[in-house]
Amino acid sequence: MFNGRLMNWRSRIFLALLILLVGVHWASAQYVIKGRVTDASNGDPVPFASVGLVGLNLGTTTNFQGEYTFHSKVLTDSLFVSFVGYKKRVKFIDKKKAVQEVDFQMEPAQKALQEVIVYSGENPAFKILRQVVKQRDLHDRNKLTAYEYDSYTKMELDVDNISEKLRNTKIMREIESSIKKFEKEAGEDGKPVIPTYISESISKFYYRESPRRKKEKIIKTNIKGVGVQDGGFISQLVGGNLIANYNFYQNYVPFFGKDFASPIGDNWKGNYKYFLGDTVNVDGHVCYQLDFDPKNPLDLVFTGQMWIDTTSFALVQIDAAIDKQANLNFIDKIKISQELEQVADGAWLPSRTRFLIDIEELTKGSAGMLLKMYISNKGFIVNKPKAVEFYDLTSEVAEDAKEPDPEYWKHARYEPLSRQDLTAFALIDSVKNLPIVRTYVEIAEIALSGYKKFNDIEVGPYLSSIAVNRLEGARFRLGFRTNSNFDKHWILRGNVGFGTKDLVPKYSIEVNYLFSKAKWTIAGLRHSYDIERVGLTPELIGDNRLFYAFTRWGAFSGAFFRRESEAFFSTEVTKGLSFTAQMNTRSFDPLFRFQYRLNPELGNASPVQDYYQESFVTLEARFARGETFIMNGNERITLATKRIPVVTFRYQRGFKGFLGGDFDYERFTLKAYQTFRVGTFGRSDYTLSMGYTPSNLPAPLLFPHLGNETLFFVRSAYSTMNYFEFVSDQFISLQYNHNFEGLLFNRIPLIKKLKWRFIASGNLLWGSQRKENRDIMKDVNNPLKSKFLDMYSFDSLNPSIPYAEVGYGIDNIFKLFRIQAFHRLSYMDHGSPKAFRLMASVNFSF
């Protein structure tokens, strides 16, 4: 009996050991497959792609780096990878290997007709999307009072889509060996790309909601690039968070001046088609997988996938792309991939963002450009806003930011560099020192900036170097400016010029001192002597330098010599609010027959004068809420797009007898400019202007309204108004422009492939002159038979009848040109009006 029991226990122990050994055997027989999935056209990782065994329901998805790893107890003979927008790939695998690495290069797929799916009732994705929109305010990071985080950014700019013709040029042959080396890193079926710039940075990003402020402090940078010279300016751009802080919880995702409808915005149902997939575990969150496609692929919308948490209905991951079908110029593809992380108070912040823009080749024999950006964030702190003045300097670079030491970066990076990144760094070093490459870079810099740089002095702008007109003959001009290499505070500018016909030297010299970049406090002195035109002076034309340069060609009517001296001081007292004070003295010496009455109350008995001198003080306040800048040496460049009204108020006070001034006067002007989205109907902008002077002055000192007799459209001018046709001492005007951004033409067969954009304009102007001002100029020039005043009247508008004109046209013709027709609707019997005018312009935009 005892022996039987003993044998029974021995049998049980043996059986247990056998089961354990079999389990160990099976565990040891488990297969491991890992690899990396990249885009064959650019080498960029493909996050969230599905990888699995053919014939079995086993697999995984790639992480944000395009990497995957999964374990399986069984293998089939092949492995597949698939993702929206790419061709499915299949590769054979070795069933005898326990551990193997399989990489995939995926080729973008042409859009095919979607399968028609008929639901018995409502699309099940709609119920999920309604909850996402309903819960949006709980998850949107803009609901936080403030947030900040540490950030690592890697940015790369490549040349891609290299044609055979271009590869046979001299510059390409010079770097042929380097290109071949990099081609091997692109994958067995990848396309060659040439990196020209790569950078990485460690930064700290800060955001405050009210008042809305943001700031990025660059702590360390590592920059290598062909033609990169100004490390200070480039260092501000490499942070990335100022330009790639995309938020899909907003109705529109803006970049490059365009607004792309979010797939979880208010109009989600009108813009997209949705397909509900399986639930997926994403970093511990069980998520719905939703595919989304545009209803009209030519609209400014995305295609891709997103993952929504099944419990909170928060956006956990998104992969959104825009292909070349969209109504965009010069773009092959835009792609945004983003992972979000939940922080305190329920909001979700971007933990990792990958941005790619593939710019197409401009001509058949050229090449394209590829911009890739990767941002990884950690250390989130929320609802602890800094003092408002902390955000004054939007982008700040630490004094010791430049850190090329490889040992530092080995530990500072959040993830190690890929093999491709390492090759890119090496290739840039070999390319940037080639003489032919440096020559091409210099030519590109001159074309973009208009200046030729000589270390600390830049010569230009070349746009204004030559003109031909009736008064000066051939006009030649040479200008210069200093940059931050010359001095970080002192700024010098100047130019000299002369005409071959009048032989009168013209010149300008300016000295500025920059006290503070944080408050942008600057003071300066300027003196100039040059020829100008009534109503077409720089202060009236504004920043349109191309139009100003063009006005110096041709007949040059209304010309006068102006000698001017100016002292100014400007400061930004708080973010978005700046004040400027100026003191000027100007002369007006006309080159046409011009006179005004000194005592208009005496009528024809009044003495007259054909020139004048004015001395005045100007006080200006400018409010631009939310406007952000980055510094380019001793200059600053705005990053804002004026989506909130920019308001400028100006007061001028003239003094008679002071520095030879001939008039006491006051002038008040107010101007507001804004661009805004009109839902799905496109984007509008308007300029609202008002002016008033209670003083009695000659017509050129009132408000000459800007006419346009050229064939070129100018936004600030009245297209059917002649030069100097109307002048007011009080006025209000509204200039409105709307771009439908393909809304109409996108839906017309055949035409929609041209990517035209319908545009419309309308200008209204109410103005008048008091009798006292009209009497100053009344009949005084008639006896002189002035040809100028026969053509240009300085007339007054009827205060009860507005000047009105409307326009319409086509934008984006050959991706570059705009044609507009304008109709004059009032003052049809005034002089020789242009009731209809057809105008053209060059309009570069994406």
Side-chain angles (χ1 to χ4, degrees):
M1 183 69 138
F2 178 79
N3 289 338
R5 290 179 179 176
L6 181 61
M7 290 296 293
N8 190 28
W9 277 107
R10 287 176 178 175
S11 298
R12 291 180 181 179
I13 293 172
F14 177 77
L15 181 61
L17 290 173
L18 181 62
I19 293 172
L20 180 63
L21 288 172
V22 171
V24 170
H25 171 76
W26 277 105
S28 63
Q30 189 177 57
Y31 298 99
V32 179
I33 305 177
K34 59 183 179 179
R36 191 165 187 256
V37 180
T38 56
D39 188 314
S41 63
N42 52 55
D44 214 39
V46 180
F48 323 136
S50 298
V51 183
L53 292 168
V54 175
L56 293 177
N57 190 23
L58 293 174
T60 185
T61 58
T62 58
N63 63 14
F64 209 74
Q65 308 298 332
E67 300 165 344
Y68 73 91
T69 301
F70 75 92
H71 303 263
S72 177
K73 294 180 180 180
V74 294
L75 287 183
T76 61
D77 60 356
S78 55
L79 192 70
F80 77 89
V81 60
S82 64
F83 190 66
V84 173
Y86 291 91
K87 296 178 182 178
K88 184 177 180 179
R89 291 293 311 273
V90 177
K91 283 191 174 183
F92 290 106
I93 54 177
D94 190 344
K95 296 172 68 174
K96 296 180 181 179
K97 288 185 178 180
V99 179
Q100 53 190 308
E101 185 171 341
V102 182
D103 294 335
F104 289 92
Q105 290 76 39
M106 302 189 73
E107 294 184 357
Q110 296 293 325
K111 263 300 193 186
L113 292 175
Q114 292 289 344
E115 179 184 359
V116 177
I117 301 177
V118 180
Y119 298 98
S120 58
E122 187 180 55
N123 185 337
F126 290 179
K127 182 179 179 181
I128 299 169
L129 286 158
R130 287 194 187 96
Q131 288 297 320
V132 173
V133 174
K134 182 179 179 180
Q135 306 294 330
R136 188 168 55 183
D137 290 341
L138 299 176
H139 303 137
D140 186 358
R141 58 184 178 267
N142 285 351
K143 74 146 188 161
L144 300 170
T145 58
Y147 58 82
E148 60 187 81
Y149 50 76
D150 301 310
S151 186
Y152 168 80
T153 301
K154 181 177 62 181
M155 187 185 303
E156 183 178 334
L157 183 64
D158 304 327
V159 176
D160 71 343
N161 294 331
I162 306 165
S163 67
E164 287 299 321
K165 180 179 178 181
L166 183 60
R167 296 186 72 173
N168 290 326
T169 61
K170 182 179 179 181
I171 183 172
M172 297 303 292
R173 290 197 303 270
E174 294 261 1
I175 56 175
E176 186 177 3
S177 59
S178 297
I179 296 173
K180 288 183 177 179
K181 177 182 178 182
F182 194 72
E183 281 182 22
K184 295 177 182 178
E185 301 297 333
E188 78 272 7
D189 49 5
K191 297 180 181 179
V193 294
I194 306 173
T196 60
Y197 168 89
I198 189 168
S199 68
E200 48 188 346
S201 69
I202 302 293
S203 65
K204 187 86 173 180
F205 182 73
Y206 306 87
Y207 178 86
R208 175 179 175 138
E209 176 58 26
S210 183
R212 184 166 292 183
R213 300 284 190 269
K214 54 186 176 180
K215 174 177 181 174
E216 187 163 24
K217 183 173 182 179
I218 311 298
I219 300 170
K220 292 292 182 182
T221 63
N222 182 24
I223 302 171
K224 288 188 178 183
V226 177
V228 174
Q229 297 178 358
D230 187 354
F233 172 61
I234 296 295
S235 295
Q236 295 172 78
L237 294 177
V238 301
N241 285 281
L242 290 176
I243 57 178
N245 195 5
Y246 304 118
N247 186 354
F248 284 89
Y249 278 112
Q250 302 299 298
N251 288 328
Y252 292 93
V253 181
F255 50 86
F256 296 113
K258 301 290 184 181
D259 295 295
F260 296 82
S262 170
I264 55 173
D266 286 340
N267 196 30
W268 57 270
K269 197 172 183 180
N271 288 318
Y272 292 98
K273 298 176 291 184
Y274 296 88
F275 307 92
L276 178 61
D278 295 333
T279 56
V280 180
N281 189 302
V282 181
D283 292 334
H285 299 276
V286 179
C287 296
Y288 297 112
Q289 179 180 307
L290 291 177
D291 295 0
F292 51 90
D293 283 332
K295 287 189 172 180
N296 187 338
L298 280 80
D299 291 341
L300 299 183
V301 288
F302 298 98
T303 183
Q305 292 179 324
M306 57 184 170
W307 290 263
I308 305 296
D309 185 81
T310 56
T311 304
S312 64
F313 294 97
L315 178 66
V316 178
Q317 286 185 172
I318 188 168
D319 187 87
I322 304 160
D323 61 28
K324 63 190 308 177
Q325 291 185 78
N327 197 319
L328 291 172
N329 294 326
F330 318 114
I331 301 296
D332 268 339
K333 185 178 183 180
I334 296 174
K335 186 177 180 182
I336 302 172
S337 301
Q338 192 174 74
E339 279 187 346
L340 295 101
E341 179 178 321
Q342 190 173 23
V343 296
D345 291 344
W348 292 70
L349 272 71
S351 58
R352 289 190 285 189
T353 300
R354 193 180 297 279
F355 173 69
L356 178 146
I357 177 170
D358 193 351
I359 302 174
E360 67 182 9
E361 55 271 31
L362 299 181
T363 61
K364 188 175 181 180
S366 64
M369 298 294 291
L370 187 67
L371 173 65
K372 298 188 287 187
M373 185 182 298
Y374 170 69
I375 304 172
S376 180
N377 305 320
K378 66 180 183 180
F380 299 104
I381 300 174
V382 301
N383 295 331
K384 292 184 179 180
K386 307 287 186 184
V388 174
E389 56 269 17
F390 173 81
Y391 304 87
D392 282 345
L393 200 60
T394 304
S395 182
E396 183 179 347
V397 181
E399 289 291 335
D400 59 345
K402 190 175 181 180
E403 182 57 78
D405 183 5
E407 289 301 316
Y408 169 85
W409 287 103
K410 283 181 181 179
H411 304 286
R413 297 183 186 104
Y414 296 179
E415 295 96 8
L417 291 177
S418 67
R419 186 175 57 186
Q420 188 179 25
D421 294 329
L422 295 171
T423 306
F425 272 110
L427 180 58
I428 289 173
D429 281 337
S430 65
V431 169
K432 67 180 182 181
N433 294 319
L434 293 174
I436 192 167
V437 172
R438 292 201 300 267
T439 301
Y440 273 77
V441 168
E442 289 181 3
I443 293 173
E445 286 180 344
I446 293 172
L448 292 174
S449 69
Y451 286 83
K452 173 69 173 74
K453 188 174 181 179
F454 298 94
N455 194 23
D456 50 2
I457 294 179
E458 300 171 16
V459 177
Y462 293 103
L463 184 65
S464 301
S465 295
I466 187 170
V468 178
N469 59 67
R470 179 178 57 84
L471 295 176
E472 297 176 285
R475 170 191 169 96
F476 298 96
R477 180 182 180 274
L478 180 65
F480 80 96
R481 67 183 183 188
T482 61
N483 54 44
S484 57
N485 292 336
F486 175 82
D487 193 273
K488 295 185 181 301
H489 297 281
W490 290 102
I491 308 165
L492 307 179
R493 296 187 183 92
N495 64 74
V496 293
F498 73 97
T500 57
K501 186 175 181 179
D502 66 351
L503 299 178
V504 175
K506 293 94 176 177
Y507 59 87
S508 175
I509 185 68
E510 182 175 355
V511 181
N512 296 336
Y513 187 81
L514 181 60
F515 293 92
S516 168
K517 289 185 177 182
K519 295 291 186 180
W520 198 251
T521 303
I522 188 169
L525 299 171
R526 186 174 70 89
H527 179 72
S528 64
Y529 181 68
D530 209 336
I531 194 169
E532 299 289 354
R533 300 177 70 181
V534 174
L536 298 171
T537 55
E539 57 269 18
L540 293 175
I541 292 176
D543 295 332
N544 196 327
R545 298 179 181 179
L546 179 62
F547 180 59
Y548 179 66
F550 185 79
T551 61
R552 293 192 170 276
W553 292 72
F556 216 74
S557 57
F560 66 94
F561 275 109
R562 180 163 79 177
R563 190 182 304 276
E564 179 176 17
S565 298
E566 174 186 312
F568 76 91
F569 176 83
S570 180
T571 185
E572 190 174 41
V573 293
T574 187
K575 192 69 175 177
L577 179 61
S578 59
F579 287 100
T580 302
Q582 296 175 227
M583 179 176 289
N584 295 68
T585 177
R586 290 176 181 168
S587 64
F588 179 83
D589 187 7
L591 297 176
F592 57 92
R593 292 186 174 182
F594 168 86
Q595 291 182 336
Y596 65 95
R597 290 187 174 128
L598 297 175
N599 303 108
E601 67 277 6
L602 298 178
N604 291 335
S606 170
V608 297
Q609 189 165 297
D610 60 3
Y611 68 92
Y612 59 76
Q613 181 88 11
E614 56 170 333
S615 298
F616 59 93
V617 169
T618 303
L619 300 176
E620 179 182 285
R622 182 178 182 272
F623 180 67
R625 181 175 176 266
E627 189 172 28
T628 57
F629 298 90
I630 58 173
M631 305 302 167
N632 183 12
N634 289 337
E635 296 182 326
R636 65 177 185 172
I637 300 171
T638 180
L639 294 180
T641 52
K642 313 298 186 296
R643 297 167 190 267
I644 298 173
V646 177
V647 182
T648 304
F649 174 76
R650 179 178 293 175
Y651 170 74
Q652 283 186 336
R653 177 71 168 89
F655 299 95
K656 186 174 182 178
F658 179 68
L659 296 177
D662 292 324
F663 308 103
D664 277 314
Y665 67 86
E666 290 182 297
R667 286 163 51 100
F668 304 86
T669 56
L670 181 67
K671 181 179 179 180
Y673 173 79
Q674 183 184 9
T675 174
F676 57 94
R677 183 82 193 181
V678 190
T680 59
F681 292 95
R683 175 162 290 278
S684 289
D685 68 76
Y686 69 84
T687 302
L688 178 66
S689 303
M690 291 179 278
Y692 172 70
T693 175
S695 308
N696 300 328
L697 298 166
L701 283 178
L702 299 177
F703 298 103
H705 302 298
L706 184 59
N708 185 0
E709 297 184 25
T710 73
L711 297 175
F712 300 97
F713 170 74
V714 179
R715 186 180 295 269
S716 58
Y718 296 92
S719 298
T720 58
M721 184 185 292
N722 294 326
Y723 292 143
F724 331 117
E725 185 176 355
F726 294 106
V727 175
S728 302
D729 54 32
Q730 54 186 330
F731 78 94
I732 179 171
S733 70
L734 176 65
Q735 296 174 296
Y736 186 89
N737 299 280
H738 183 78
N739 192 322
F740 288 90
E741 294 185 337
L743 177 68
L744 302 180
F745 289 137
N746 281 359
R747 285 148 180 82
I748 301 176
L750 300 180
I751 290 181
K752 64 183 182 181
K753 294 184 178 181
L754 300 175
K755 296 188 178 181
W756 287 353
R757 301 162 188 169
F758 184 71
I759 50 177
S761 303
N763 298 325
L764 291 172
L765 169 65
W766 290 267
S768 65
Q769 282 188 56
R770 296 186 308 279
K771 181 178 182 300
E772 292 81 358
N773 279 322
R774 294 198 303 270
D775 287 346
I776 290 177
M777 304 292 296
K778 186 178 179 181
D779 299 328
V780 70
N781 289 285
N782 283 356
L784 300 175
K785 305 294 184 184
S786 168
K787 182 178 179 182
F788 173 78
L789 288 173
D790 286 343
M791 298 170 60
Y792 308 110
S793 56
F794 291 125
D795 273 354
S796 173
L797 292 158
N798 186 331
S800 61
I801 302 176
Y803 181 91
E805 63 182 17
V806 294
Y808 50 88
I810 301 173
D811 189 20
N812 210 41
I813 300 173
F814 301 119
K815 302 182 180 181
L816 199 60
F817 299 104
R818 170 186 290 181
I819 301 290
Q820 282 181 271
F822 285 89
H823 295 271
R824 181 163 170 164
L825 303 181
S826 58
Y827 296 91
M828 303 301 296
D829 57 349
H830 185 267
S832 302
K834 300 291 186 182
F836 174 81
R837 181 167 286 161
L838 193 64
M839 313 191 84
S841 62
V842 176
N843 184 40
F844 180 87
S845 69
F846 286 100

